[in-house]
Amino acid sequence: MKNFINLIVAAMLSTALLIVSAKADERELIEMPDDVRVKFLTQMRGMLESVDGMLLALSEGDYDQVSKIADIELGFKHRKWQKMIDDGSSEDEVQAKINAMREELAKPKKGYKKKKNSKSMSRFMPANARAMGRQMHLAASKLSVAAQNTEENPDTAKFQELLAGVQEITAVCTACHSVYKVR
Ligand code: HEC
């Protein structure tokens, strides 16, 4: 009887081990100093707030706000735009600069280039993670343009286009989260 119980316990243990190893976290570790990681995760939580804000604005039919959040919080050079606003630039001034940047980016062979030896946390990022970051900025920029081109009371197709635009952004969030972790 005792042997039988031992056998059952052993079987249960090995099943538990199997389940644990099936769920093992095999994501690639991005190493960064503690203070950078805190900043990184704070920014991440800010990005979730941005997505939340865009969904709220969509639900309220405020497409201008969708565009602003996409550009100023999730788009290319978003820190620069945020700083301009903090330093007192008007929203129109900032939007004009963003539109000019978009035109530059749309020109062939003039893609967005990350500065080398940047002091920002991106220097801790593997190239693939940086590429996903760019992908997210690109999706945000596309959504911003779509939101700017949305009239009041859009039809279902237009609204679906905007929702799909938000999902294009969250698809990048989840893709990166499934590949990387920080500790
Ligand atoms: C370039 C890769 C990348 C992209 C793109 C990305 N994240 Fe993250 N995010 C991470 C990593 C890595 C972590 C840490 C995960 C871990 O260690 O388990 C993280 C963590 C988070 C966290 C947890 C923060 C905390 O305090 O623990 C939130 C929330 C988050 N991300 C939201 C988002 C949202 C929303 C988006 C898209 C708008 C996004 N992330 C896009 C890489 C990314």
Side-chain angles (χ1 to χ4, degrees):
M1 189 62 187
K2 214 175 167 196
N3 273 349
F4 183 63
I5 288 173
N6 280 346
L7 201 71
I8 299 275
V9 169
M12 280 166 70
L13 271 179
S14 57
T15 310
L17 266 178
L18 266 181
I19 291 171
V20 169
S21 61
K23 286 191 175 165
D25 186 351
E26 281 164 6
R27 294 175 299 165
E28 184 180 328
L29 177 66
I30 301 176
E31 287 185 74
M32 42 176 88
D34 283 354
D35 58 329
V36 177
R37 192 179 57 248
V38 167
K39 209 171 137 196
F40 175 81
L41 292 174
T42 304
Q43 278 186 8
M44 283 293 154
R45 293 192 300 277
M47 288 186 343
L48 182 56
E49 268 180 49
S50 302
V51 172
D52 185 49
M54 287 195 303
L55 289 173
L56 177 67
L58 265 187
S59 74
E60 291 175 338
D62 188 348
Y63 307 111
D64 225 31
Q65 178 69 357
V66 174
S67 159
K68 272 185 200 138
I69 296 177
D71 276 331
I72 294 169
E73 299 182 18
L74 297 173
F76 287 109
K77 303 188 181 186
H78 56 103
R79 278 184 210 91
K80 179 172 169 183
W81 315 132
Q82 194 59 60
K83 188 170 184 309
M84 278 181 74
I85 289 170
D86 292 347
D87 291 349
S89 297
S90 75
E91 285 186 353
D92 286 350
E93 271 175 283
V94 177
Q95 196 59 55
K97 294 252 182 206
I98 293 172
N99 291 342
M101 169 196 71
R102 235 193 295 277
E103 274 173 33
E104 275 303 304
L105 287 176
K107 288 180 190 163
K109 288 187 187 165
K110 265 210 142 184
Y112 174 70
K113 280 218 177 71
K114 189 79 211 158
K115 271 182 251 149
K116 288 253 159 70
N117 300 322
S118 144
K119 275 190 188 156
S120 79
M121 61 188 61
S122 72
R123 76 193 144 113
F124 296 103
M125 295 285 148
N128 184 35
R130 281 206 295 268
M132 285 201 248
R134 278 195 297 280
Q135 200 57 42
M136 189 187 75
H137 297 325
L138 199 63
S141 186
K142 195 174 141 198
L143 171 64
S144 172
V145 173
Q148 281 174 12
N149 295 331
T150 303
E151 313 263 317
E152 226 179 296
N153 300 320
D155 61 13
T156 306
K158 184 74 203 181
F159 199 77
Q160 280 180 322
E161 183 196 337
L162 297 179
L163 264 186
V166 176
Q167 196 275 332
E168 240 181 79
I169 298 174
T170 55
V172 188
C173 315
T174 53
C176 197
H177 295 154
S178 67
V179 178
Y180 296 107
K181 61 185 167 188
V182 299
R183 288 292 176 268

